[in-house]
Amino acid sequence: MMAMFAVMRVASHDYGDALSKSILFFEGQRSGKLPSTQRITWRKDSALNDGHQIGVDLVGGYYDAGDNVKFNFPMAFSTTMLAWSVTEFGKFMGPDQQRALEAIQWATDYFLKATSIPGFVFALVGDPYADHSCWERPEDMDTPRTPYAVSKTFPGSEVSGEIAAALAAASIVFRPKNLGYSARLLKRAKMIFYFADTYRGSYNVSLGQWVCPFYCDFSGYEDELVWGAAWLYRATKAPNYWNYVVDNAKHLSKILVRNIDGVTYSGGSFAEFGWDAKHAGINVLVSQLLLRSSTTNLLDPFIPNADKFVCTVLPESPNLSVSYSPGGLLFKPGGSNMQHTTTLSFLLLVYSLYLNQANKLIYCGNVVANSSRLVEMARSQVDYILGSNPLNMSYMVGYGQKYPQRIHHRGSSLPSIDQIPEHIDCQGGSAYFNSDKPNPNLLIGAVVGGPDMEDSYADSRADFVHSEPTTYINAPLVGLLAYFRSHPSS
C-alpha cells in the first residue's frame, strides 16, 4: 500500500549555502588545538592533553554530538561518509571541496595518532558517564580524559574495521591532491584492517562498560570487516580485498531483530545503514564496482540486495519497511532520526547514478523505479530538512529564516570564552541548560535529530533525541547538498 503524505514546496532552496554551512559545522565539533583559519570563533582550544597520561598524543579529532567525548566508532563512520561524499560529488562542491578535505583531514590526522601504537587501536577518549553528568564547555572540561583502546587480547573489530574504511576512503580523496599523505593513509588502513580481521571480536565485550549504551555495536562486527575490505578494494584494486568481500558477504545475510527504545524492529540486514550497520552501504558501494566493470552476475548478492534496499524505502513500494511522517520525512526506529534520513537518502542518490550509468530499472513487485525516482526521493528528504515541511522551518542551524534555537549542545548553549573567560565548572552550566533562552552561540550548519512522527518540533534543549546534532547526520548530507547544488531542479 502506497504511503500517502503531503509534500511541502518552497520556491527554491539555496543548496550551495546549505552545503557551505553543513561543512562549517565540523569546525564547531573540533577537539584539540584550533588553527588560525578557524571560522567558528566562539570555539577555542580544548582537550590539549588527551593521551598524555599514557605517553600517546591523542589530541584532535571530533566530538561526536553535543557532548565532549571522542567516540572513535561514529567518528570514523562520519569520516568515511565525508570521504564518500567527496569521492562521488566533490566535483560539484566548487570552493567548498577544499573545506571538505580539511574536515576529513582533521579526522584522519587524529586516526593516524589513534593507530600509531602497533597492536592497539584507540576507541574512546573521555569518561562518558562523567561527561554526561556535566553541562560544561569543552574548553573547561575537568572530567577524566581517559583513553581506551582495543588490542589483540581485547579486540574491537568494528571500531578498527571502520577506521580502516575511513582511512582507505580518505586515501582516494587525497590521491590527486597529496600523494604522500594518501599513501600514508592507505598503508595505515591496510595495517588496521589486518589487525581487525586477525584479532576478531566486538568492543562491546572489551569496552562495553564505557561504549555502551552510547555506541554499542548491535549488528556484529562482520559488516565493518566487509565494509573496510570494500573500501580497500576501491582504493587499491587488489584482488585479495575483492575476494574477501565476496567470500564474507554470506555473513551479512542474517535477519536483524532488535528491540530499540521498547519497539521491536525486524528488518533484513540489507536495509540497514548507519554508524552501526553497514549492510546497505556495502551493497550500494560494491554494486557500483560491479556495474562499472560490466561483470554483473544475477547470483551475486550485492545488486539484488541494493535493489531490495531501495524497495524498503520507496513510499509506493509494496515492500516498504520505513515510515513517513504526514509531511513526508523518512523515519526508522531508534535514536536521532535525521541520521537515517541523511544516510539512506545518500545511498538512494549514489545508487541512482549507478543505475543511470547501467541503464537499469528496479522492480519492487509491480512497482518500477528508475534512477530519476531515486533522485526525486533523495531531494524530497533534503528539501524537508531545509524547510519544505509543515512547520516551514529548517532543521539546519543558520539556514533559512526559521531554525532550531535551543539545540542540545554544550558549547553552543553556554557563553563563549570571549563572553565569560572564567572557568564554568561541571554543575555551573546547569542554569544555561535549563534556560528557555536561545543558545548564545550559533553552531552554523548543525542538523538536529529532527521532528517527531507528526512533524512537530519542541525546540527543547532537554529533548536531546530531537534537538541534538551529530557528525553522522551531517556527513552524508554534505554529498547530497553538493549534488543538488549543481542540479537544483529535476
Side-chain angles (χ1 to χ4, degrees):
M1 185 180 198
M2 179 175 176
M4 302 299 293
F5 49 78
V7 179
M8 307 294 136
R9 296 289 182 194
V10 295
S12 64
H13 287 295
D14 189 341
Y15 298 114
D17 180 49
L19 170 65
S20 299
K21 289 171 177 173
S22 71
I23 298 170
L24 178 60
F25 158 75
F26 286 90
E27 295 192 20
Q29 297 301 110
R30 284 172 169 171
S31 180
K33 179 72 176 176
L34 301 185
S36 59
T37 54
Q38 174 80 10
R39 294 175 294 165
I40 294 187
T41 54
W42 52 264
R43 278 296 326 283
K44 310 296 180 183
D45 298 345
S46 63
L48 296 180
N49 293 315
D50 280 0
H52 80 284
Q53 66 268 62
I54 57 170
V56 180
D57 178 4
L58 295 174
V59 176
Y62 290 111
Y63 304 119
D64 68 296
D67 54 17
N68 302 322
V69 183
K70 295 193 299 202
F71 291 100
N72 290 0
F73 189 23
M75 191 198 304
F77 175 69
S78 301
T79 307
T80 307
M81 293 307 297
L82 275 175
W84 199 359
S85 290
V86 174
T87 300
E88 296 293 340
F89 306 114
K91 61 189 174 189
F92 303 130
M93 290 181 177
D96 283 312
Q97 183 178 12
Q98 180 57 36
R99 298 293 192 182
L101 292 175
E102 292 167 6
I104 294 168
Q105 187 167 351
W106 192 267
T108 52
D109 282 354
Y110 168 74
F111 285 129
L112 289 172
K113 296 178 179 182
T115 58
S116 62
I117 309 298
F120 294 88
V121 171
F122 286 92
L124 171 71
V125 180
D127 182 328
Y129 293 96
D131 181 271
H132 289 183
S133 70
C134 296
W135 197 256
E136 202 168 22
R137 299 178 295 200
E139 296 83 2
D140 285 336
M141 275 189 291
D142 46 20
T143 53
R145 300 297 295 171
T146 310
Y148 298 91
V150 297
S151 64
K152 298 176 182 180
T153 309
F154 300 99
S157 296
E158 61 279 273
V159 63
S160 303
E162 187 61 57
I163 291 174
L167 294 172
S171 77
I172 299 170
V173 167
F174 284 105
R175 194 171 292 154
K177 308 282 185 180
N178 186 334
L179 191 58
Y181 188 67
S182 170
R184 187 180 174 203
L185 295 178
L186 186 57
K187 181 179 180 181
R188 188 65 59 84
K190 293 175 180 177
M191 184 181 86
I192 299 307
F193 176 78
Y194 175 83
F195 171 79
D197 185 45
T198 303
Y199 305 100
R200 291 189 175 201
S202 173
Y203 85 154
N204 289 358
V205 177
S206 52
L207 297 177
Q209 69 183 96
W210 297 285
V211 299
C212 295
F214 314 103
Y215 290 104
C216 243
D217 179 19
F218 294 102
S219 67
Y221 57 77
E222 294 90 352
D223 53 325
E224 277 78 32
L225 293 176
V226 176
W227 177 242
W231 277 108
L232 279 163
Y233 175 71
R234 184 161 178 176
T236 65
K237 300 298 183 287
N240 57 307
Y241 292 119
W242 176 252
N243 293 337
Y244 186 98
V245 170
V246 173
D247 292 345
N248 288 276
K250 59 182 177 290
H251 294 304
L252 306 182
S253 61
K254 60 191 176 187
I255 299 295
L256 298 182
V257 180
R258 291 185 280 171
N259 186 294
I260 306 174
D261 299 335
V263 178
T264 300
Y265 175 65
S266 177
S269 56
F270 61 83
E272 303 296 322
F273 188 55
W275 62 260
D276 180 12
K278 307 306 180 312
H279 307 72
I282 291 165
N283 290 321
V284 169
L285 177 63
V286 174
S287 294
Q288 171 207 22
L289 303 174
L290 290 167
L291 288 168
R292 285 182 176 175
S293 65
S294 301
T295 58
T296 56
N297 183 337
L298 292 177
L299 298 178
D300 192 282
F302 302 104
I303 291 175
N305 279 342
D307 287 358
K308 284 165 63 180
F309 154 70
V310 172
C311 292
T312 67
V313 176
L314 293 181
E316 66 270 26
S317 168
N319 307 116
L320 179 69
S321 70
V322 301
S323 302
Y324 286 91
S325 71
L329 184 66
L330 183 153
F331 273 81
K332 281 177 74 77
S336 170
N337 182 68
M338 211 65 94
Q339 65 178 307
H340 306 307
T341 306
T342 59
T343 52
L344 300 189
S345 297
F346 180 91
L347 292 187
L348 288 178
L349 183 60
V350 171
Y351 200 49
S352 76
L353 303 182
Y354 306 159
L355 292 178
N356 194 47
Q357 293 167 6
N359 195 26
K360 184 179 179 301
L361 298 173
I362 294 176
Y363 296 88
C364 307
N366 60 350
V367 172
V368 181
N370 59 18
S371 61
S372 297
R373 176 64 181 129
L374 273 60
V375 175
E376 181 184 40
M377 272 305 303
R379 185 192 301 276
S380 73
Q381 299 304 299
V382 172
D383 285 354
Y384 187 108
I385 292 170
L386 297 182
S388 299
N389 57 61
L391 297 181
N392 292 311
M393 74 174 287
S394 158
Y395 288 98
M396 176 185 286
V397 174
Y399 177 86
Q401 298 302 308
K402 180 183 178 184
Y403 49 80
Q405 300 292 318
R406 299 166 190 83
I407 67 172
H408 183 97
H409 189 278
R410 285 159 175 77
S412 172
S413 68
L414 287 152
S416 70
I417 297 290
D418 293 328
Q419 294 170 303
I420 299 182
E422 295 80 18
H423 179 83
I424 301 175
D425 65 18
C426 173
Q427 299 305 318
S430 299
Y432 299 99
F433 174 78
N434 293 319
S435 168
D436 290 332
K437 294 180 180 178
N439 287 9
N441 308 308
L442 278 186
L443 184 58
I444 295 174
V447 177
V448 295
D452 63 22
M453 272 287 292
E454 300 303 318
D455 299 302
S456 296
Y457 184 72
D459 202 6
S460 164
R461 201 172 291 117
D463 184 14
F464 64 90
V465 170
H466 298 107
S467 64
E468 187 170 18
T470 72
T471 56
Y472 44 88
I473 291 174
N474 270 60
L477 185 60
V478 167
L480 288 159
L481 291 168
Y483 178 82
F484 292 125
R485 172 185 178 272
S486 291
H487 303 80
S489 59
S490 299

